[in-house]
């Protein structure tokens, strides 16, 4: 019986369906059929442009983002796929906050839906620090299929775990 670390919060009948796909060796092909493409956002500057376009479309009045990049230290072992950090510095007599958004490097070769889900998640943290109802409402406002993409991303991570993929 496979331990489904990324699906631990889902009901047993969902986990059983995933286990059946794993035992039949069909999880990877199911995901590939659902998400056949990879995105073209390869560099940090392209990622910055991508994030800023989403922010401009959905969060015009959100806090400014100072840095966006792919981060190789994030991944399956870190249990963080993206991070949003605020760095506070004193400049002159004022306290300035700089917002940084980092996306795990493993998403450089992921389907575009997974990259968008991670970016939407991190952008939502500009408005809401907690994973509460308002946070997820904002996520689904920015991406109506957010919850499906999150579930499928968890399936993708499970598949990477099974085949010894990126750490």
């Amino acid at each position: 019986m496979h331990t489904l670390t990324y699906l631990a919060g889902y009901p047993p009948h969902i986990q059983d369906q995933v286990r059946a796909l794993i035992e039949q060796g069909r999880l990877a092909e199911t995901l590939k059929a659902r998400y056949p493409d990879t995105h073209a956002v390869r560099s940090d500057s392209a990622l910055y442009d991508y994030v800023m376009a989403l922010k401009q479309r959905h969060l015009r009045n959100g806090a400014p983002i100072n840095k966006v990049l792919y981060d190789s230290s994030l991944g399956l072992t870190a249990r963080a796929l993206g991070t949003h950090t605020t760095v506070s510095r004193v400049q002159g007599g004022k306290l300035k906050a700089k917002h940084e958004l980092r996306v795990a490097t493993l998403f450089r070769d992921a389907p575009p839906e997974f990259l968008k889900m991670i970016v939407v998640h991190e952008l939502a943290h500009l408005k809401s620090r907690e994973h509460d109802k308002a946070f997820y409402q904002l996520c689904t406002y920015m991406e109506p299929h957010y919850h499906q993409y999150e579930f499928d991303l968890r399936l993708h991570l499970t598949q990477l775990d099974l085949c010894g993929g990126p750490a």
Side-chain angles (χ1 to χ4, degrees):
M1 186 137 123
H2 298 281
T3 303
L4 302 175
T5 306
Y6 301 103
L7 300 167
Y10 287 87
H13 73 278
I14 299 290
Q15 291 184 29
D16 291 342
Q17 290 174 355
V18 174
R19 281 190 187 92
L21 281 174
I22 292 169
E23 288 167 12
Q24 296 165 10
R26 294 184 38 232
L27 181 57
E29 79 181 51
T30 300
L31 287 167
K32 190 66 176 167
R34 199 175 291 169
Y35 302 101
D37 302 321
T38 58
H39 61 79
V41 183
R42 299 279 182 238
S43 67
D44 288 344
S45 63
L47 182 62
Y48 180 86
D49 292 342
Y50 179 80
V51 168
M52 295 311 287
L54 277 172
K55 182 184 178 294
Q56 181 62 27
R57 189 174 320 132
H58 300 292
L59 295 172
R60 281 189 206 122
N61 297 328
I65 298 174
N66 302 89
K67 185 189 274 188
V68 177
L69 55 96
Y70 284 110
D71 189 339
S72 61
S73 67
L74 300 175
L76 300 181
T77 56
R79 297 285 187 242
L81 305 174
T83 61
H84 165 253
T85 56
T86 303
V87 179
S88 297
R89 293 188 177 99
V90 176
Q91 291 182 334
K94 298 180 181 178
L95 186 64
K96 299 265 184 169
K98 295 194 179 254
H99 295 273
E100 297 180 0
L101 195 146
R102 296 171 185 263
V103 175
T105 304
L106 70 97
F107 290 105
R108 202 175 254 152
D109 298 316
E113 295 87 353
F114 295 169
L115 178 65
K116 186 172 185 184
M117 188 235 103
I118 292 296
V119 169
V120 161
H121 183 98
E122 298 310 328
L123 283 173
H125 280 305
L126 290 173
K127 293 277 188 185
S128 178
R129 303 288 290 164
E130 302 298 320
H131 293 115
D132 55 13
K133 186 176 181 178
F135 174 85
Y136 286 109
Q137 284 176 336
L138 181 56
C139 287
T140 55
Y141 163 74
M142 290 190 280
E143 173 48 64
H145 302 290
Y146 176 84
H147 293 292
Q148 183 64 54
Y149 293 159
E150 181 183 16
F151 176 75
D152 290 344
L153 174 60
R154 290 173 181 277
L155 292 177
H156 176 72
L157 295 173
T158 299
Q159 178 60 33
L160 287 177
D161 227 10
L162 290 171
C163 69

